[in-house]
Amino acid sequence: MSTEAPALELKKTINLPKTKFGQKANLPQTEPARLKKWTEMGLYDQIRRARAGATKFILHDGPPYANADIHLGTALNKILKDFIVKSRTMMGFDAPYVPGYDCHGLPIELHVERKLGAKKATMPPLSIRRVCREFAADALKRQTRDFQRLGILGEWDNPYSTMSDHYEAETARLFARFVERGFVYKGARPVYWCIHDQTALAEAEVEYHQHTSPSVYVKFPLRSDPAQIDPALAGRKVFALIWTTTPWTLPANLGIAVHPDFEYVALEDNASGDEVLIVAAELMEAVASRCNLTEPKVLARFPGAKLDGMECRHPWIDRPSLLMLGEHVTLGGEADAETELDVSEAREKTANSKSGTGLVHTAPGHGHDDFVIGKRYGLEIYCPVDHSGRFTPEIEHFAGLNVFEANPEIVEFMRGQGVLLFTESYDHRYPHCWRCKNPVIFRATPQWFIAMDRVGPGEAVEKDEDGRDLSNFTSNFTDGETLDNASLRAMALREVDERVKWIPAWGRERMRNMIKGRPDWCVSRQRVWGVPIPAFYCQQCSHVIADPAVIRRVADIFEKESADAWYKREAADLLPEGFTCGKCNGADFTKETDILDVWFDSGSSSIAVLESRENLRWPADVYIEGGDQFRGWFNSSLFVGLAVHDRAPYETVLCHGWTLDAVGKAMHKSAGNAVSPDEVIPKLGAEVLRLWCASSDYFEDMRCSEEILQRVTDGYRKLRNTARYALGNLDGFDPARDSVPEAKMLELDRWALSELDSVIEKVRAAYEAYEFHTVYHTLYDFCTVTLSARYFDILKDRLYTFAPRNPARRSAQTALYMIVDALARMLGTILVFTADEIWESLPADDARPASVHLAELPEAKSQPDEELRVRWERLFALRERVLAKLEEARNSKLIGGSLEAAVVIRPRLEDEDTFNYFRDQLRYVFIVSEVRSARDGELEGGSPVLTQIAIERAQGQKCERCWNYSTRVGEFSRYPSVCERCVQALEEIEASQQA
């Protein structure tokens, strides 16, 4: 009786992949479960403990407005921040993340206004603030939920909020610091003013949109003797011809500016008899054409400097209009209020045709340049427009009219007066309120300002030489070259140029332009939801009390009672006991009613947050926001940092682009092209949104649509399937027991690990440079080309058909284990859910951290094997030519699958070395049943330097187990249907079962 064991069932001896890592991700279902697990295990706290004592890396979170649910732009911003924090954490840094929320300001107050309606007008400030606080708290809660759903780890149970008692107190203390250093004053000067919301606006609260204005050419009769300009003009009726696109500012005209160095002409219009017009010589022809002048004749030429100090008469009001010299005068092409400080928007402007006359109508109460030159020439800062944008009663003919409604009325009035030479509609970019989207005006009104160019301590209110309150004057230096380094502008330019790193590099110039051109910072707002400006007014003499010690006392009260204390307490309860006016000894005071600019609020965050939490530090390593923050948070944060520490609050500033639709248009719900995270996540999962963020260069504008997200989903599947293939072939592999030392691994496996090292180096460098799109594309190419198309394709035969414990198979598994372990770590920053799932699916290892997010990025070997890389690159080049020949044979029906083929090669030049070196491995690399060199007489035609390749059908029979063809199938009685390789594998399996 035979004792021989029965033959193995061939089908059961194939090592098919086996893993709990599913082919389908089911992200909308599995992500929430993983988030719950992370919460239950306290993952974020575990990360903090794991990195305790490591070098700090601080990303400071720019706070989003807590006024609405998140949209694609806010999702992009938060995901990019998570990429930075997680990548730095996996580099070994201690990188805590404290999210923040901007809870004050106009956006929230407007929401509340809409909710309350007319009722708001009768409510006291405290009641309005309570409703605003409740609204912001609810929005904060919803945003926190949505940000966490994106897989973002952080101190969500302890974020910073600009409406917290501590933050409001710190904001007030920072205002005291600005006062202490002499940077704060109260004065009247033109500011952006929203007539709809009836409040001043900062530059960061203004955006530019297309607007149609009436363009007018208006004659101002010369009062001074024209012979002083040129004798040829003696006795003539001479007019200064101005051009403006804001006719509503003409009632406030007090002067006309000309450039001292431009050439001007006195132009006689034959059609008007003896009238002579003064215009810039370079614009003479354009003016004559536009204004239909008949055969104009030049009577005189002279520099603009010759007009200095001469007087014209206002076109219809009996008052002088002074001719002044101003460097700001241009030769046309820029309408009133058109100058944009935002460089990106300015780049979009196209040059206009020659508009203008070279003489600029000047109303010191309605423009920055007008104000500066008006102060220099001693003009009144005259502003006959009220808070609602209506003319005051003193303006005859137009009193009570809204300024924009008055434009056509003024045009027709001037036509009737005979002073209007020409008018037309003019399309240009004009400042609009960022919230209500209505056009704004420049309006001189008493406000609190932070001076850009003031040096050293100064009065909180500008004084004249007799000690009386004076409207503000600013020197308007643009570069700080002539200023001591104590000025905010000079310090800011120094930081921008010398200390801060800007990514992309153009950010430096953009920030520089913002600082060079910005006027003094208007920090007061006529609202109630915010941090009150802690200043007082003496009821007896109106003296302003802006004392650092008093402000800090008020801040201490805010720390205990919130800024609501300003509205709950009387002035006497906020001031020190026994406090009296330093000017008149009065003891009765009123409180300032304005609040601080919301950008002062958010700009205070680096001090209020980074310096008040033990796990953080000042300055931050990095800030990252969208391009609008060059005039917003980047800007205000810089000036707060300078006021406190004389340096920027950030080492590096990153700027990301905007989210656009598939054709490059801005997304809007009303346009039907918006992509909402709330719609994407339930269908595709947050992981796809994260991968979309990583797949494009976020330094540019990023497009998103259903089609684009579908392509991203396809990319995700390829990454997932790569990991699944590796994990499936690690079934039964114990890293501690079965790993093969690299020196004993097969060369193909060592090549794969060499390629892995190259990828690790690129990925680490890309993470270091914040180039997440490079990370994605490097890993995608590695998975789809290096692994799937090459390594896995070749490896499949060895993994599936070799005996499970065969050293060659263990070599492959060792490589797969190292690859998928590294892949999980490198993907951990981007695919937070999937990478953790991969991590959990790796073979058990007690030394491995519980989550990939506790691990660190892999390290590449210090000495790459360049000879190995070159050898295999040459082999793969040969392989590509062989695969092309196999495809031709398949198309001609010579073969079906590649294993039906035998490859015949006559190698030439370097291919000969490759062929000889890899001779025994070529059939596996090419995935054919046989590779042989050409015999004498075969493949001898063709080029003497090009390798010749031919395909023929393989000899022998098909192995039932591995599907290779062999002439030895049938030789083995125990397993008659398999080849010699499979017989050896089966014998190994039998031996292991008996052991």
Side-chain angles (χ1 to χ4, degrees):
M1 182 176 178
S2 174
T3 60
E4 184 179 24
L8 298 172
E9 187 176 346
L10 297 181
K11 183 171 60 176
K12 293 182 178 179
T13 65
I14 300 296
N15 306 307
L16 295 176
K18 181 181 178 182
T19 177
K20 63 181 180 180
F21 187 80
Q23 183 176 7
K24 289 187 176 181
N26 295 319
L27 294 172
Q29 292 76 42
T30 59
E31 288 173 349
R34 190 160 294 275
L35 286 171
K36 181 180 179 183
K37 178 182 179 180
W38 289 347
T39 300
E40 291 172 350
M41 66 185 287
L43 178 58
Y44 180 78
D45 292 335
Q46 283 195 46
I47 294 171
R48 298 279 63 78
R49 290 193 294 272
R51 296 295 183 271
T55 302
K56 291 278 188 185
F57 181 92
I58 305 299
L59 176 145
H60 184 41
D61 187 26
Y65 272 117
N67 69 329
D69 292 338
I70 70 171
H71 52 75
L72 190 62
T74 45
L76 167 67
N77 177 269
K78 271 293 191 288
I79 289 170
L80 290 174
K81 290 172 181 175
D82 193 50
F83 287 173
I84 293 172
V85 171
K86 281 191 169 71
S87 61
R88 284 317 196 262
T89 297
M90 297 192 77
M91 289 178 191
F93 289 95
D94 180 10
Y97 175 59
V98 177
Y101 294 95
D102 201 348
C103 300
H104 286 145
L106 190 59
I108 291 168
E109 198 165 341
L110 289 177
H111 274 281
V112 169
E113 278 188 1
R114 288 194 289 270
K115 178 181 178 182
L116 296 175
K119 179 181 175 183
K120 179 177 181 287
T122 62
M123 293 174 64
L126 271 173
S127 297
I128 296 171
R129 287 175 63 87
R130 177 182 55 78
V131 179
C132 287
R133 188 179 297 276
E134 291 171 353
F135 178 87
D138 182 62
L140 185 156
K141 184 178 179 181
R142 296 197 313 274
Q143 287 189 7
T144 296
R145 174 202 65 203
D146 293 343
F147 288 140
Q148 286 180 292
R149 179 64 185 85
L150 294 171
I152 298 168
L153 299 175
E155 296 185 22
W156 295 110
D157 56 346
N158 187 29
Y160 79 85
S161 159
T162 62
M163 67 179 181
S164 72
D165 297 354
H166 169 72
Y167 196 103
E168 290 179 334
E170 281 298 300
T171 303
R173 293 183 185 111
L174 286 167
F175 184 72
R177 179 59 175 158
F178 275 92
V179 172
E180 190 171 54
R181 295 195 63 174
F183 295 138
V184 176
Y185 66 88
K186 186 172 185 181
R189 57 163 293 166
V191 295
Y192 289 114
W193 185 270
C194 178
I195 61 177
H196 178 268
D197 296 320
Q198 298 188 22
T199 185
L201 300 173
E203 286 73 24
E205 297 170 314
V206 169
E207 56 192 25
Y208 285 78
H209 301 296
Q210 286 300 118
H211 183 72
T212 301
S213 300
S215 162
V216 293
Y217 289 74
V218 182
K219 298 184 296 184
F220 280 62
L222 186 68
R223 268 186 175 180
S224 300
D225 182 3
Q228 296 177 23
I229 301 173
D230 191 286
L233 302 180
R236 303 299 297 267
K237 292 181 180 179
V238 179
F239 298 84
L241 185 64
I242 67 94
W243 173 73
T244 182
T245 57
T246 54
W248 67 266
T249 62
L250 285 168
N253 173 276
L254 297 178
I256 299 170
V258 297
H259 197 288
D261 302 327
F262 292 169
E263 183 183 44
Y264 289 81
V265 296
L267 202 63
E268 182 182 54
D269 179 15
N270 290 335
S272 62
D274 59 351
E275 285 190 358
V276 177
L277 304 175
I278 296 175
V279 299
E282 188 172 323
L283 298 173
M284 173 179 58
E285 292 182 4
V287 170
S289 173
R290 182 165 274 117
C291 298
N292 296 316
L293 303 184
T294 305
E295 298 180 1
K297 178 182 177 183
V298 175
L299 301 182
R301 292 178 180 270
F302 48 89
K306 204 159 189 179
L307 299 174
D308 190 24
M310 301 186 79
E311 279 190 2
C312 288
R313 179 187 179 278
H314 190 283
W316 72 85
I317 300 173
D318 187 18
R319 69 164 179 255
S321 184
L322 182 67
L323 283 158
M324 305 169 290
L325 305 182
E327 300 282 344
H328 65 285
V329 176
T330 66
L331 291 175
E334 187 171 274
D336 300 280
E338 193 176 24
T339 301
E340 301 174 48
L341 294 181
D342 190 311
V343 175
S344 71
E345 292 179 351
R347 280 200 302 263
E348 297 171 8
K349 296 200 307 184
T350 57
N352 295 308
S353 58
K354 290 283 187 179
S355 299
T357 65
L359 292 88
V360 177
H361 140 63
T362 300
H366 290 299
H368 174 67
D369 291 327
D370 302 44
F371 170 81
V372 172
I373 194 172
K375 291 298 295 182
R376 193 164 75 237
Y377 277 85
L379 300 182
E380 178 187 357
I381 309 304
Y382 178 50
C383 177
V385 175
D386 66 16
H387 279 49
S388 64
R390 298 183 179 279
F391 283 114
T392 53
E394 71 216 63
I395 301 301
E396 191 178 0
H397 308 296
F398 310 112
L401 282 179
N402 172 285
V403 293
F404 294 111
E405 295 171 355
N407 268 334
E409 302 284 337
I410 293 171
V411 170
E412 288 308 310
F413 179 79
M414 291 192 297
R415 195 190 307 276
Q417 296 291 310
V419 296
L420 179 67
L421 199 59
F422 179 74
T423 182
E424 65 179 350
S425 295
Y426 184 84
D427 292 329
H428 62 124
R429 290 171 68 79
Y430 185 86
H432 288 63
C433 175
W434 70 317
R435 295 308 306 173
C436 70
K437 308 302 181 185
N438 289 304
V440 301
I441 65 173
F442 274 97
R443 176 176 179 267
T445 177
Q447 301 289 339
W448 289 90
F449 294 91
I450 290 175
M452 293 293 102
D453 300 315
R454 179 183 283 181
V455 179
E459 293 276 356
V461 178
E462 295 278 354
K463 305 288 183 180
D464 66 14
E465 53 212 18
D466 297 319
R468 294 172 300 198
D469 288 1
L470 180 69
S471 298
N472 157 56
F473 167 73
T474 176
S475 57
N476 197 38
F477 284 118
T478 58
D479 246 344
E481 288 88 348
T482 61
L483 300 174
D484 184 274
N485 277 346
S487 78
L488 281 173
R489 195 187 309 275
M491 287 192 290
L493 290 170
R494 180 200 67 208
E495 292 295 290
V496 169
D497 286 341
E498 299 176 10
R499 189 190 298 271
V500 180
K501 181 178 181 181
W502 302 91
I503 302 175
W506 52 255
R508 172 179 282 104
E509 191 62 25
R510 185 168 182 181
M511 190 66 163
R512 210 173 192 285
N513 288 337
M514 293 301 308
I515 294 167
K516 286 174 62 178
R518 74 167 295 164
D520 289 353
W521 181 4
C522 177
V523 293
S524 49
R525 295 292 179 274
Q526 292 65 52
R527 312 298 297 187
V528 298
W529 179 231
V531 177
I533 295 177
F536 300 84
Y537 299 89
C538 175
Q539 289 193 19
Q540 186 168 315
C541 70
S542 300
H543 179 59
V544 179
I545 311 299
D547 179 274
V550 171
I551 295 171
R552 290 189 175 105
R553 170 186 163 81
V554 172
D556 291 342
I557 295 172
F558 287 178
E559 186 88 51
K560 298 175 182 176
E561 304 175 21
S562 87
D564 286 352
W566 188 257
Y567 302 93
K568 291 178 182 177
R569 293 183 176 221
E570 296 297 325
D573 294 331
L574 293 165
L575 288 162
E577 187 175 353
F579 186 86
T580 59
C581 174
K583 185 175 180 182
C584 71
N585 292 320
D588 295 323
F589 300 90
T590 58
K591 297 174 290 184
E592 173 61 77
T593 57
D594 289 351
I595 64 170
L596 283 166
D597 173 20
V598 70
W599 293 108
F600 190 97
D601 268 29
S602 59
S604 302
S605 62
S606 74
I607 305 298
V609 178
L610 300 184
E611 293 194 347
S612 66
R613 300 201 182 202
E614 291 183 1
N615 63 331
L616 304 177
R617 60 151 169 77
W618 195 100
D621 290 283
V622 68
Y623 277 33
I624 176 172
E625 301 296 334
D628 55 337
Q629 298 309 314
F630 283 96
R631 61 179 178 179
W633 191 56
F634 295 160
N635 209 304
S636 61
S637 296
L638 174 60
F639 288 112
V640 171
L642 292 170
V644 178
H645 293 302
D646 290 338
R647 65 155 297 178
Y650 35 67
E651 300 286 354
T652 299
V653 173
L654 298 172
C655 174
H656 64 74
W658 305 111
T659 54
L660 307 175
D661 69 9
V663 295
K665 293 183 178 179
M667 289 187 178
H668 297 290
K669 285 186 178 179
S670 58
N673 66 346
V675 176
S676 170
D678 286 343
E679 296 173 359
V680 174
I681 292 173
K683 296 177 182 177
L684 303 176
E687 206 80 301
V688 171
L689 267 186
R690 295 181 67 95
L691 194 59
W692 168 76
C693 292
S695 64
S696 301
D697 183 354
Y698 69 89
F699 298 129
E700 304 290 340
D701 293 340
M702 296 178 62
R703 299 187 180 195
C704 189
S705 65
E706 287 188 15
E707 182 183 351
I708 290 171
L709 288 176
Q710 189 55 55
R711 291 202 297 267
V712 172
T713 302
D714 292 341
Y716 169 81
R717 289 195 188 101
K718 291 177 181 178
L719 294 173
R720 184 178 183 88
N721 288 339
T722 299
R724 186 170 186 271
Y725 179 89
L727 291 169
N729 283 289
L730 289 175
D731 182 44
F733 179 78
D734 182 339
R737 180 193 67 205
D738 301 326
S739 291
V740 176
E742 188 169 345
K744 295 184 178 180
M745 293 171 70
L746 271 64
E747 185 166 316
L748 173 64
D749 302 324
R750 288 192 283 113
W751 166 82
L753 294 182
S754 176
E755 291 295 298
L756 174 64
D757 283 340
S758 177
V759 166
I760 290 171
E761 287 182 350
K762 290 178 183 177
V763 165
R764 289 186 69 99
Y767 275 133
E768 184 74 35
Y770 309 104
E771 294 175 356
F772 307 117
H773 61 289
T774 301
V775 173
Y776 167 75
H777 290 293
T778 299
L779 292 176
Y780 180 84
D781 290 346
F782 179 61
C783 288
T784 58
V785 178
T786 306
L787 295 180
S788 295
R790 290 185 174 180
Y791 185 54
F792 290 175
D793 201 27
I794 300 167
L795 203 60
K796 189 180 298 182
D797 178 80
R798 192 181 351 151
L799 288 169
Y800 288 13
T801 67
F802 280 39
R805 300 178 187 176
N806 184 280
R809 187 168 185 274
R810 291 303 194 204
S811 172
Q813 287 183 306
T814 303
L816 288 177
Y817 176 74
M818 296 171 70
I819 288 169
V820 75
D821 175 277
L823 194 60
R825 296 169 190 258
M826 290 187 286
L827 285 172
T829 289
I830 296 170
L831 298 180
V832 290
F833 301 103
T834 304
D836 207 37
E837 186 185 358
I838 294 170
W839 193 256
E840 286 181 352
S841 303
L842 285 166
D845 184 347
D846 293 339
R848 186 184 302 119
S851 168
V852 72
H853 303 301
L854 292 163
E856 294 190 15
L857 285 173
E859 298 272 0
K861 293 195 300 290
S862 58
Q863 294 296 328
D865 190 337
E866 187 63 19
E867 291 184 3
L868 176 73
R869 187 192 67 80
V870 171
R871 269 199 312 271
W872 280 87
E873 280 306 306
R874 288 176 177 170
L875 175 57
F876 283 120
L878 179 59
R879 182 177 186 261
E880 289 302 311
R881 283 176 278 162
V882 170
L883 294 182
K885 288 290 185 179
L886 288 169
E887 185 64 23
E888 291 176 9
R890 190 179 292 111
N891 291 336
S892 67
K893 309 300 184 183
L894 175 64
I895 60 171
S898 65
L899 290 176
E900 295 178 13
V903 178
V904 182
I905 298 180
R906 183 173 294 279
R908 306 288 192 187
L909 301 180
E910 73 273 4
D911 283 343
E912 190 167 358
D913 293 335
T914 301
F915 183 86
N916 292 330
Y917 185 88
F918 289 106
R919 182 184 294 269
D920 294 337
Q921 302 177 51
L922 291 178
R923 58 175 290 199
Y924 308 116
V925 173
F926 299 159
I927 315 176
V928 296
S929 291
E930 180 186 357
V931 176
R932 65 177 177 82
S933 59
R935 304 183 185 97
D936 291 342
E938 283 186 308
L939 303 179
E940 290 185 345
S943 170
V945 296
L946 294 179
T947 295
Q948 302 298 305
I949 302 169
I951 307 298
E952 59 186 27
R953 286 194 62 84
Q955 300 298 308
Q957 299 180 50
K958 181 179 180 180
C959 174
E960 182 183 350
R961 184 170 179 271
C962 72
W963 296 6
N964 278 262
Y965 281 73
S966 171
T967 58
R968 298 188 63 188
V969 173
E971 286 186 7
F972 311 98
S973 58
R974 185 166 173 80
Y975 296 104
S977 62
V978 303
C979 67
E980 65 277 15
R981 281 193 320 137
C982 287
V983 168
Q984 181 181 345
L986 294 168
E987 289 174 349
E988 287 183 39
I989 295 170
E990 289 175 340
S992 67
Q993 291 178 349
Q994 294 170 8

